[in-house]
Amino acid sequence: MDSIPSNNNKIHPLETQDLSSGKRREIDELLKVIVRRFIKGYSTGVCVHAAYALITSTLKRSLKDGLYKAWESVFSKSTFQTSMFMGLFPSLYRAALHYVKKTRQTEDSWNYLVSGAIAGLSILSLDKSKRQTLTFFSLSRAIGAVVTSLVARGDLPYIPQTNIAVFSVFTGLILYAVVLHPDYLSSPGYYRSILKWTQNYTDELAKKLFRDPSPRFVKCHEVLHKGSCLKYNLLSFKDCYPSAAKIYLPIHALPILIYKRKALMTNPSSVIKSFLINMASSTSFLVVMVVVAKTSLCALRNANPKPPPVSGAVPLISGSLGAFCGILCERKSRHKELALYTVFQALEIFYNAFKNSSRVSKNKVGVPQGFTMMFCLATMVIMHAYEVQPDYINSTMKAVLKFFVGERDIDSKKVGYYEKTTKEQH
C-alpha cells in the first residue's frame, strides 16, 4: 500500500509571507542604522573641521576671519575626505557585523575581528599622507590594547609608571628628530609647530646651532638670546603660557561641544570647572616640558662646546628630561594617552628613517596598499577590544567609538532583551 505524503513539513503561505516581511523589516532596520551612522559621522567631521578653523583663526586674527575660515573649511577637500572616512567607518562596521554574524551563525570574538577589518577599508577615502598618519595612530592604540591585555593576563609583568617612562623616552626621540633629522617627523607642519612652541627657535637657528657643520662652536648668546641661558629660559615661562593655552583650547573645547552638550546645558558650572582645570594642567604640562627641554639643550651644549653637528645624546637626554618634568604636571588619567601619542610619533619616525635610508630609497621598496592593510589589522584589534575587553582601551577611545559606532554589541543585546521582556510582561 502506497504511503500518503505528509503535509507536516510544508510551510504555510502565510508563514512564508511573515518570514519575507520579517527579512524586509530586518533589512530596513539595518539600512536605517547604516544611514544614521554615516550621517552622524559625516556631519561630525564637517562640524569638527569648521569648529577647529573657527577657534584657531579667531585666536590668531579676528572673529570675522574665523567665521570665513570655518565656512571655507566646510567645502575643502580635506574636510570631505575626513568626513567620508568618519561616516564610512561606523557604517561599514555595522553592516559587516550584521552579515558576518548572520553568515557564521556564531557569537564569538571573530565577528568583531572580521568586521573591524572590513570597516578599516574606509581609510581608502583618505589621501596617502593621511592614511600613513592615521595608520600609525591606530597601530599605537592597538599596541596599547594588546600590551594592557597581556599584562592583565599575567603574560607580561606589571611595571609601575610605565606610561611616564614610555612618554619620556619617546619624547627624547621626537626631539632628536627635531634637532637633527626633521625629515623623520610625520610632517613639515608638525616640525614647524614644535619650533613655534619654543618661542625662539627657527629652522635657520636649529641648523646653525645643531645640524650644519661649522669650524667653531656657536654660543647661544650669539644667535639665540642675550644673557645667561638659565635666566633667559626661566623668563620664557610667561611667553610660553599663552601659546600653549591656544593649542589646548580647541583640544579641550571640541570634546565638550561633541560629547557634553547636554551636560553643558544642565550643569554648566561643573563642565566649565572641569574644562578650566584640564586646561590649566595641560598648559602647565606643555610649558614645563618645553622650558626644561630648552634649558637642558643649552646646558648640555655648553658643557661640551664642540662645533656642530651636535651629538645625538644632547636632544635625547633633553627631550626625556623635559618630558619627565612636564608629565608630572598633567593629570594621571592622561598619562596613558600621552604615552600612546609618543608611540604613534615614534612609529612614524622609525618608518621615515627606514624609508629615507639610502638602501631602501635606492631600491624603492614598497608594499601596495600597505597602510590600508596595517590599518585594517589595527582596527581588528581596536574593535575587538572595544566589544570584548573595553577596559583595555582608554576612556577617550571608548567615548569616540561609542559616539560614532554606537553601543557595544553586548550592551545593545541587553537593551533589546530588556525591551522584549518588558513588552511580554505588559
Side-chain angles (χ1 to χ4, degrees):
M1 185 176 178
D2 294 336
S3 60
I4 300 172
S6 174
N7 294 325
N8 292 338
N9 295 329
K10 287 187 177 181
I11 299 176
H12 196 275
L14 290 176
E15 291 180 6
T16 305
Q17 189 176 358
D18 289 341
L19 286 172
S20 60
S21 63
K23 287 181 179 179
R24 281 198 300 270
R25 282 197 301 270
E26 184 182 358
I27 293 171
D28 289 343
E29 287 299 318
L30 178 62
L31 287 174
K32 287 178 183 177
V33 171
I34 292 171
V35 172
R36 193 162 56 240
R37 288 292 158 194
F38 179 82
I39 293 173
K40 187 174 186 178
Y42 189 91
S43 59
T44 301
V46 173
C47 292
V48 167
H49 268 76
Y52 186 81
L54 175 63
I55 294 171
T56 53
S57 298
T58 302
L59 289 172
K60 292 177 182 178
R61 302 178 187 89
S62 64
L63 178 60
K64 183 180 178 181
D65 291 330
L67 290 170
Y68 173 76
K69 286 289 184 183
W71 179 251
E72 190 180 50
S73 72
V74 171
F75 302 100
S76 68
K77 182 180 178 181
S78 176
T79 300
F80 174 75
Q81 290 179 342
T82 306
S83 301
M84 282 295 292
F85 167 76
M86 294 170 73
L88 284 173
F89 183 87
S91 303
L92 284 175
Y93 179 75
R94 283 299 168 198
L97 183 59
H98 174 82
Y99 284 107
V100 168
K101 288 166 69 174
K102 193 172 180 180
T103 303
R104 298 185 68 237
Q105 294 292 314
T106 305
E107 294 283 347
D108 60 17
S109 300
W110 280 103
N111 295 335
Y112 310 121
L113 289 166
V114 174
S115 302
I118 294 172
L121 295 173
S122 57
I123 199 175
L124 291 170
S125 62
L126 302 175
D127 60 35
K128 187 176 179 181
S129 63
K130 286 184 179 178
R131 284 184 214 171
Q132 176 178 324
T133 300
L134 185 60
T135 296
F136 287 127
F137 176 86
S138 302
L139 278 175
S140 69
R141 268 57 188 172
I143 290 169
V146 170
V147 171
T148 304
S149 173
L150 293 174
V151 171
R153 287 163 44 185
D155 295 329
L156 285 178
Y158 170 73
I159 303 174
Q161 309 303 337
T162 302
N163 291 326
I164 293 178
V166 169
F167 178 74
S168 301
V169 170
F170 284 142
T171 301
L173 179 65
I174 293 169
L175 189 60
Y176 168 85
V178 170
V179 167
L180 293 173
H181 294 283
D183 55 312
Y184 290 176
L185 294 170
S186 56
S187 68
Y190 182 57
Y191 171 64
R192 289 192 297 269
S193 295
I194 295 177
L195 292 179
K196 194 179 292 184
W197 297 348
T198 66
Q199 297 296 308
N200 57 344
Y201 280 99
T202 62
D203 183 51
E204 279 120 22
L205 286 177
K207 286 178 180 177
K208 189 175 289 187
L209 289 169
F210 304 120
R211 292 197 289 272
D212 289 350
S214 174
R216 68 181 186 87
F217 176 72
V218 182
K219 296 181 180 179
C220 294
H221 66 79
E222 293 180 43
V223 294
L224 195 60
H225 58 75
K226 296 178 181 179
S228 71
C229 295
L230 180 61
K231 181 181 178 180
Y232 177 81
N233 286 316
L234 289 177
L235 290 174
S236 69
F237 264 104
K238 60 180 177 58
D239 298 321
C240 289
Y241 262 99
S243 61
K246 288 181 181 180
I247 293 169
Y248 277 104
L249 179 60
I251 291 174
H252 288 297
L254 286 175
I256 293 175
L257 297 175
I258 297 172
Y259 309 121
K260 300 181 180 179
R261 294 190 302 271
K262 292 181 180 178
L264 185 61
M265 298 299 293
T266 57
N267 193 6
S269 60
S270 176
V271 175
I272 293 171
K273 181 182 177 182
S274 175
F275 168 75
L276 293 175
I277 292 172
N278 295 344
M279 273 288 297
S281 60
S282 295
T283 304
S284 298
F285 146 73
L286 184 58
V287 171
V288 170
M289 180 174 67
V290 168
V291 172
V292 172
K294 284 168 57 180
T295 306
S296 301
L297 277 175
C298 290
L300 292 174
R301 279 186 71 251
N302 291 318
N304 188 20
K306 291 183 178 179
V310 73
S311 168
V314 171
L316 283 170
I317 295 171
S318 301
S320 298
L321 183 61
F324 176 77
C325 295
I327 199 171
L328 297 179
C329 301
E330 185 60 282
R331 292 161 293 143
K332 191 175 181 180
S333 60
R334 287 262 299 152
H335 287 183
K336 184 177 181 179
E337 178 63 29
L338 290 169
L340 291 176
Y341 177 79
T342 56
V343 171
F344 151 55
Q345 293 294 341
L347 287 172
E348 290 230 87
I349 289 171
F350 290 137
Y351 170 76
N352 289 328
F354 172 76
K355 183 181 70 172
N356 295 340
S357 63
S358 58
R359 184 173 297 179
V360 174
S361 59
K362 183 179 179 180
N363 296 326
K364 296 183 179 180
V365 178
V367 179
Q369 297 299 335
F371 288 121
T372 302
M373 289 188 286
M374 283 196 294
F375 182 72
C376 290
L377 179 64
T379 51
M380 285 176 65
V381 176
I382 291 170
M383 294 314 301
H384 176 270
Y386 175 67
E387 297 282 10
V388 182
Q389 301 165 321
D391 292 337
Y392 296 165
I393 53 178
N394 63 10
S395 57
T396 303
M397 180 62 75
K398 278 189 285 189
V400 170
L401 291 174
K402 184 177 180 180
F403 180 81
F404 287 106
V405 177
E407 291 282 352
R408 292 165 57 218
D409 194 39
I410 190 171
D411 293 333
S412 63
K413 287 175 189 173
K414 289 177 182 176
V415 172
Y417 175 77
Y418 173 77
E419 290 175 349
K420 183 179 178 182
T421 53
T422 303
K423 287 178 183 177
E424 289 173 353
Q425 288 172 3
H426 288 292

